[in-house]
Amino acid sequence: MTTEEIAKAIKLTAQLMELHNENPFKVRSLSNAAFKLDKTNVNLEGLSLEQLEKIEGIGKSIAQRIIELNEKGETGDLRALLDKTPNGILDMLRIKGIGPKKVGQLWKELGIESVGELYYACNENRLVALKGFGEKTQAQVKKAIEFRMASEGKTHYAYALLAAQEIITEMQKRAKPGDMISFTGQIRRRCEIIEKIEILVDEEAELDLTLFQNSFNIRQEVIRVPKKDFAVKLFETTATAGHLEKLSLTGTLKGNSEKEIYENLGMQYIAPELREGLNEVDLARARKLPKLIEMSDLKGILHNHTTYSDGINTLREMAEHCRKLGYQYLGVCDHSRSAFYANGLEPERIIAQQKEIDELNKELAPFRIFKGIESDILYDGSLDYTDDVLASFDLVVASVHSILKMDKEKATARLIKAIENPYTTILGHPTGRLLLSREGYPIDHKKVIDACAANGVIMELNAHPHRLDIDWKWIPYCLERNVMVSINPDAHELEGYEDMFYGICVARKGMLTREMCFNAFTLDRMDDYLTSRKKK
């Protein structure tokens, strides 16, 4: 089993033990072990008991459990727990906002054994009378179920793209020269959430399309079209209905390429990712579409984590890999002291990290590591270090990680107070959303962006494919208010740097330019900017 699978099995064991009111100390021990294993990059497959016990955080009992999981795929106690738990209860454990104790209460006191029954009970107002629930919890449970139902059949762009590339690659292997094959639809527009993979194939291609499936089980559609109409059909199937409507089409579209089609319509070429039916058509008619940012424009990577907090790779490994990828600088922003669950840094550990950064900067020059922190925004909007500690950093990413249940007024005020802190450089993942998993807390985007403009704070576009936060639809307002955007991977391991690609995808949808992207600054310009900001 992979380390991730082992961590999930141990976490499930802890949840089921808690559900069935078993030893709370054992539950806590297993939960802690699962959390630590989920954060490690150590391959646990095939290790002996002695080797496992040498790994930090793994005691004898957990080591024995790992060996049993590797040998049998499950443990005896996990199997026993699963045997006495209805499948619908397992599904209920996946609902955000209710833990095993509350699920057990719903099961034993109301006889609810499925998500469907739970949703019906919410609609009948049956949860209100249960101890520890009330109207507010019932509303949250109902909302979580509705969010999950709305997300079914959808997937993140990152996974859909892998699946689509898998299909295309197989098609191209079997195609003959001259066959025309292309992504289209949501994939081609680089939407953050994908409902289905659409692939356009010319009718002359002798391909048995039933052979091409994807290992991610994402819904897919293959569209056949005469070769002579390929460009027009690609144009039509890529765009949203809103985009086509704004074109005010009269008559037949003409052109051997999409560029020709737009030229024949008397406008600039509109990149596929912009064809959403917003203001792109008006800008193209006025020939005012900007030159969109590209991967090659990025000069550095900011907001990254190392083993100093909850990252998998060391500071040296993260820096050397960043340099190897051709970037000029790295911003290290490990978690701050309030993020105790992520091994957040106390002041003495900050000193140790900054000392190591100084040493590495001498060794890796001209490559540069900037000393940063991801400082938690506390409930009252303050940051979780004193001014003298904040002053020791080159940059501060201010982010919310706790108490996410806020109304719009509270969330907006909390962010604005953090933005007004003179040490805040970047506002991190401003709504805290996790696509298809957790809605972001509601904020007044205009007020937050206006506050960034007034205080010279950079807006983060968190490039992790599960976040992509700030939503790209608000990037044009950032640009209107002269608020720069920083595309940050929030990388916790070397592979996390690859997420910059997904950040670029949605940044382009928001019409971000190189000039307005913070980490498109060269090293010298970034150094000058951060130095002058610290002096202020």
Side-chain angles (χ1 to χ4, degrees):
M1 296 179 74
T2 66
T3 302
E4 183 182 11
E5 289 169 338
I6 289 169
K8 284 181 178 178
I10 294 174
K11 180 182 178 182
L12 179 59
T13 305
Q15 288 178 315
L16 292 175
M17 283 182 172
E18 187 176 357
L19 176 78
H20 291 286
N21 294 315
E22 297 195 11
N23 189 324
F25 297 104
K26 195 170 183 180
V27 168
R28 194 176 303 116
S29 173
L30 289 172
S31 295
N32 290 338
F35 179 83
K36 288 175 181 175
L37 289 174
D38 192 46
K39 299 296 181 184
T40 183
N41 62 344
V42 178
N43 184 359
L44 303 176
E45 195 170 2
L47 296 184
S48 67
L49 186 67
E50 293 74 20
Q51 289 172 317
L52 287 168
E53 287 185 76
K54 289 179 182 176
I55 299 171
E56 186 180 353
I58 297 181
K60 187 173 183 179
S61 64
I62 298 297
Q64 289 171 334
R65 189 175 291 274
I66 291 169
I67 287 175
E68 189 175 357
L69 285 168
N70 272 326
E71 290 176 351
K72 301 177 182 178
E74 63 181 10
T75 60
D77 57 356
L78 177 55
R79 173 40 53 197
L81 288 162
L82 288 169
D83 286 343
K84 64 179 182 179
T85 309
N87 286 334
I89 299 295
L90 297 175
D91 204 22
M92 286 167 63
L93 286 170
R94 300 185 187 101
I95 297 172
K96 296 282 182 184
I98 52 172
K101 282 194 181 299
K102 278 190 162 57
V103 170
Q105 205 178 345
L106 292 165
W107 177 24
K108 290 160 188 173
E109 295 184 35
L110 294 182
I112 294 171
E113 293 191 3
S114 72
V115 174
E117 289 176 353
L118 178 56
Y119 188 61
Y120 187 76
C122 289
N123 287 326
E124 287 201 329
N125 215 32
R126 289 169 55 203
L127 273 62
V128 173
L130 278 180
K131 184 180 178 181
F133 278 81
E135 289 184 15
K136 189 175 180 181
T137 301
Q138 178 178 269
Q140 289 168 349
V141 170
K142 183 180 177 183
K143 188 176 181 181
I145 295 172
E146 287 173 342
F147 184 79
R148 198 171 92 162
M149 289 190 297
S151 300
E152 285 178 358
K154 301 175 183 177
T155 193
H156 301 91
Y157 172 73
Y159 307 129
L161 181 62
L162 286 175
Q165 288 171 332
E166 186 179 272
I167 299 167
I168 290 276
T169 299
E170 282 302 310
M171 283 184 169
Q172 289 172 337
K173 282 180 185 176
R174 303 174 191 228
K176 63 181 184 296
D179 285 348
M180 302 176 79
I181 304 168
S182 175
F183 302 137
T184 190
Q186 292 174 329
I187 283 275
R188 193 154 183 257
R189 291 202 311 280
R190 296 179 169 181
C191 298
E192 59 267 55
I193 299 298
I194 305 295
E195 295 175 8
K196 69 175 177 179
I197 295 167
E198 295 172 271
I199 296 177
L200 197 63
V201 180
D202 79 72
E203 289 180 346
E204 295 175 26
E206 297 174 0
L207 295 169
D208 182 356
L209 301 181
T210 62
L211 297 174
F212 304 107
Q213 299 298 319
N214 67 82
S215 58
F216 293 85
N217 295 317
I218 301 169
R219 192 159 61 97
Q220 61 191 52
E221 179 183 357
V222 178
I223 304 165
R224 287 281 204 177
V225 62
K227 185 172 284 189
K228 64 182 179 60
D229 299 328
F230 195 89
V232 170
K233 193 66 173 178
L234 182 62
F235 177 94
E236 292 175 336
T237 55
T238 295
T240 64
H243 180 81
L244 295 175
E245 185 180 334
K246 284 179 179 290
L247 291 174
S248 306
L249 300 173
T250 55
T252 306
L253 289 170
K254 294 180 181 179
N256 295 317
S257 68
E258 290 179 308
K259 188 174 181 181
E260 274 188 27
I261 293 171
Y262 279 113
E263 284 175 357
N264 291 334
L265 291 170
M267 61 179 69
Q268 270 179 289
Y269 172 75
I270 301 176
E273 51 266 56
L274 295 182
R275 301 175 200 173
E276 292 286 346
L278 300 175
N279 67 336
E280 72 277 4
V281 171
D282 292 337
L283 289 171
R285 282 203 177 105
R287 300 199 171 269
K288 291 184 177 179
L289 280 176
K291 186 178 187 308
L292 304 180
I293 191 163
E294 299 177 0
M295 279 292 293
S296 58
D297 293 325
L298 300 177
K299 304 304 178 191
I301 303 184
L302 303 172
H303 188 179
N304 303 281
H305 299 264
T306 73
T307 50
Y308 272 94
S309 63
D310 61 343
I312 287 175
N313 293 98
T314 64
L315 176 57
R316 174 181 287 277
E317 288 169 340
M318 293 294 280
E320 289 181 340
H321 190 61
C322 186
R323 184 176 68 162
K324 183 180 177 182
L325 292 174
Y327 293 102
Q328 298 175 8
Y329 52 87
L330 170 72
V332 172
C333 297
D334 276 303
H335 283 290
S336 59
R337 65 194 314 175
S338 296
F340 57 89
Y341 52 86
N343 195 28
L345 274 65
E346 291 292 343
E348 62 272 13
R349 295 181 61 232
I350 292 170
I351 294 169
Q353 185 185 60
Q354 292 185 351
K355 182 180 178 183
E356 185 179 352
I357 288 173
D358 287 336
E359 292 168 355
L360 283 170
N361 276 337
K362 290 175 186 175
E363 180 184 337
L364 301 177
F367 181 84
R368 176 82 176 275
I369 305 168
F370 288 108
K371 301 169 184 174
I373 195 75
E374 185 177 20
S375 185
D376 268 30
I377 301 174
L378 303 178
Y379 193 62
D380 67 354
S382 60
L383 303 186
D384 62 341
Y385 288 120
T386 56
D387 285 357
D388 60 322
V389 174
L390 291 171
S392 71
F393 299 108
D394 296 317
L395 73 154
V396 173
V397 177
S399 307
V400 170
H401 289 110
S402 61
I403 318 179
L404 305 182
K405 293 176 182 176
M406 301 174 282
D407 61 26
K408 192 173 187 176
E409 185 179 359
K410 172 60 185 177
T412 301
R414 185 177 177 184
L415 292 189
I416 289 175
K417 184 173 177 182
I419 290 165
E420 290 173 345
N421 188 306
Y423 294 100
T424 297
T425 316
I426 299 172
L427 178 63
H429 44 72
T431 73
R433 75 180 186 181
L434 294 174
L435 295 167
L436 299 180
S437 179
R438 180 179 75 205
E439 284 189 298
Y441 36 84
I443 64 171
D444 186 323
H445 279 83
K446 286 192 173 182
K447 285 184 178 178
V448 169
I449 293 166
D450 288 347
C452 287
N455 292 276
V457 169
I458 312 298
M459 178 63 73
E460 176 175 79
L461 168 52
N462 191 293
H464 192 290
H466 288 199
R467 287 193 183 272
L468 298 176
D469 182 19
I470 186 171
D471 190 297
W472 62 266
K473 296 177 187 69
W474 285 103
I475 292 177
Y477 189 70
C478 288
L479 305 185
E480 181 184 325
R481 299 292 289 117
N482 205 34
V483 172
M484 298 198 79
V485 174
S486 184
I487 303 173
N488 299 334
D490 200 353
H492 285 65
E493 57 187 327
L494 303 182
E495 291 77 10
Y497 291 153
E498 296 171 13
D499 291 345
M500 294 295 280
F501 169 76
Y502 306 114
I504 284 288
C505 289
V506 294
R508 287 171 61 88
K509 290 181 75 66
M511 295 192 193
L512 185 65
T513 63
R514 177 184 63 188
E515 291 75 21
M516 289 301 291
C517 179
F518 186 51
N519 52 310
F521 282 11
T522 62
L523 172 58
D524 287 344
R525 189 178 175 194
M526 180 62 72
D527 191 23
D528 288 345
Y529 177 93
L530 294 176
T531 300
S532 63
R533 186 171 175 82
K534 281 187 74 172
K535 286 179 180 177
K536 288 179 184 177

